Amino acid sequence: MSVRVRGAHATVEHDGALDEVAVEEPLEIRVEGEPVAVTMRTPGHDEELAIGFLHGEGLVDGLVEAGPPADLAANVVDVRGAVRRPAARRFYTSSSCGVCGKGALDEVRVHAPALPAGPIVARALLAGLPARLRQPEFDRTGGMHATGLFDASGELVCVREDVGRHNAMDKVIGRALLDRALPLHDRLLCVSGRLSFELVQKAAVAGAPVLVGVGAPTSLAVALAEEVGMTLGGFAREGRINIYAGAARVAG
């Protein structure tokens, strides 16, 4: 079987026919030249991914920049500036789990301050956010997740796709950090899949008061959303949404 990679998707053969699938490749993230993590991702917006990942780990303290490493190694991004190396050992994350390789509960949890009041948003607007996500690579392959950043009126500000749901979130947050748009106190985040603990945590660290998902939340995701004061909405589809935390921000 031959695989022909074309950016975010690849052409493969099955049963005598051609099909397009999502590309998954490793990315090594370095801080000031030192390797700190490897994640499986879809190539594209790698600098945003690296910065967003480190921000979600609570390691970014100010302005940062990212680019190729000094040795110009492929599939590597080096982040420089106001960023710290993790205290824990180097770890690996898969495209399905953003906390894999961490050996203890205190390595998983990242401090996130309580969120501000944030915008009051109509229930119908929140329910309709998934329909406003632009997902060309998902349409092409059926194998991508997406995260969209919206303003309080529901206007799409930024969207990123990736084979890993946490990578898509990191790319959006990394873009916002590069644009000096953090914290996301007046913004809404929407993800194309289920709502896991790690996605709620990344959104909370970025200061987002509202997170909506097409799928179901986990118990720990709901508990964390309640703890930090986040509005968490799941099963957003066909004009309906379930609000699991932070109902005070939802009108109607």
Side-chain angles (χ1 to χ4, degrees), residues 25-203:
E25 294 180 353
L27 176 70
E28 180 177 271
I29 299 173
R30 299 179 184 175
V31 172
E32 302 288 355
E34 180 180 326
V36 298
V38 176
T39 185
M40 300 301 297
R41 97 303 187 197
T42 298
H45 306 288
D46 287 341
E47 291 81 8
E48 296 173 356
L49 170 56
I51 290 172
F53 170 80
L54 292 169
H55 183 274
E57 294 295 314
L59 301 173
V60 175
D61 299 320
L63 297 180
V64 295
E65 60 181 13
D71 59 8
L72 299 180
N75 288 320
V76 177
V77 170
D78 191 23
V79 181
R80 302 168 293 275
V83 58
R84 293 173 283 114
R85 298 174 182 86
R89 60 180 173 80
R90 180 182 178 190
F91 51 91
Y92 164 86
T93 69
S94 74
S95 58
S96 60
C97 174
V99 297
C100 298
K102 294 190 176 183
L105 183 60
D106 59 1
E107 293 179 17
V108 172
R109 191 64 184 269
V110 178
H111 172 71
L115 296 167
I120 303 298
V121 187
R123 178 181 288 266
L125 188 150
L126 294 178
L129 289 181
R132 303 186 186 193
L133 284 175
R134 293 195 297 268
Q135 302 180 68
E137 292 298 334
F138 174 80
D139 293 340
R140 183 189 297 271
T141 67
M144 293 280 199
H145 291 280
T147 293
L149 179 66
F150 296 82
D151 66 19
S153 70
E155 186 73 21
L156 183 63
V157 176
C158 176
V159 62
R160 294 289 185 263
E161 292 182 275
D162 197 278
V163 69
R165 58 173 60 86
H166 54 91
N167 291 338
M169 173 81 75
D170 284 338
K171 289 178 179 181
V172 166
I173 292 172
R175 182 69 262 162
L177 193 152
L178 288 170
D179 292 340
R180 303 187 183 184
L182 292 184
L184 302 174
H185 286 167
D186 59 347
R187 294 289 192 249
L188 320 172
L189 282 170
C190 177
V191 298
S192 61
R194 66 181 177 86
L195 294 159
S196 63
F197 165 85
E198 59 184 327
L199 291 182
V200 172
Q201 178 165 264
K202 288 175 184 292

